[in-house]
Amino acid sequence: MLSTQEKMKDHMLADHGLRKTAFRKEVLSIFLANKGKAVTTASIEDSLKDFDRITLYRTLKSFEEKGLIHLAMDINGQSRYALCDHNCSVDKHQDTHAHFHCDSCGHTTCLDEMHESYEALVPQGYKIKDVQITFSGVCQSCS
Ligand SMILES: [Zn+2]
Ligand SMILES: [Zn+2]
Ligand SMILES: [Zn+2]
């Protein structure tokens, strides 16, 4: 019998047109454990027992292409990845939200509620496709 977590992972991969492999599921588990938080490739590597760097790179790339995870730059310009919410699909990402990087604990959090308002910031006729905005400061648990 598959656990609920296992079933969820199977569904998530299938919904995004990804074949399920043990490795993809392992990487997905890390994102599920860090829901709402963006993690660095280094911390993903730390969480994996046994892995091949090329395979991990390809896995992250395919997750990103298929709308399962999105890129979030932290304040140091280091790239991180976070799980997309269900609005993202194989065809398009809808992650035009900002991120918050805590200088104290180093966590980068998705600010999911902040999006639509960006349309008001650009001149009329301009169309936003992607947003990379990262605030830095101190998060709730550190302040
Ligand atoms: Zn997305
Ligand atoms: Zn913090
Ligand atoms: Zn995010």
Side-chain angles (χ1 to χ4, degrees):
M1 274 300 277
L2 288 176
S3 70
T4 317
Q5 255 265 335
E6 289 306 303
K7 272 190 209 148
M8 184 159 104
K9 283 186 270 182
D10 284 353
H11 276 296
M12 287 174 84
L13 290 173
D15 284 352
H16 292 88
L18 291 156
R19 210 161 37 81
K20 47 184 174 184
T21 66
F23 187 70
R24 280 180 179 161
K25 285 167 82 168
E26 198 183 345
V27 174
L28 187 54
S29 302
I30 298 168
F31 284 109
L32 287 167
N34 288 284
K35 212 165 185 285
K37 259 186 231 157
V39 290
T40 58
T41 315
S43 77
I44 295 169
E45 287 178 5
D46 285 345
S47 310
L48 292 165
K49 281 162 245 113
D50 197 18
F51 73 97
D52 168 69
R53 208 161 252 164
I54 306 282
T55 312
L56 175 61
Y57 174 81
R58 287 202 188 120
T59 301
L60 294 174
K61 207 82 209 133
S62 62
F63 278 13
E64 194 193 358
E65 278 167 13
K66 303 287 189 182
L68 201 52
I69 59 171
H70 60 274
L71 189 67
M73 285 291 173
D74 73 16
I75 211 76
N76 308 311
Q78 194 176 25
S79 47
R80 290 170 180 253
Y81 291 98
L83 204 59
C84 291
D85 69 21
H86 53 263
N87 294 330
C88 291
S89 65
V90 180
D91 309 312
K92 71 172 187 220
H93 277 282
Q94 292 180 27
D95 302 297
T96 51
H97 57 257
H99 292 92
F100 191 96
H101 180 81
C102 175
D103 296 329
S104 179
C105 64
H107 284 148
T108 299
T109 315
C110 293
L111 303 178
D112 296 316
E113 320 78 52
M114 286 189 60
H115 43 99
E116 283 138 66
S117 51
Y118 293 130
E119 299 294 341
L121 301 176
V122 296
Q124 217 176 9
Y126 284 61
K127 191 104 190 74
I128 300 171
K129 272 185 158 172
D130 189 22
V131 174
Q132 285 293 342
I133 295 177
T134 308
F135 297 102
S136 81
V138 184
C139 78
Q140 200 178 29
S141 12
C142 293
S143 58

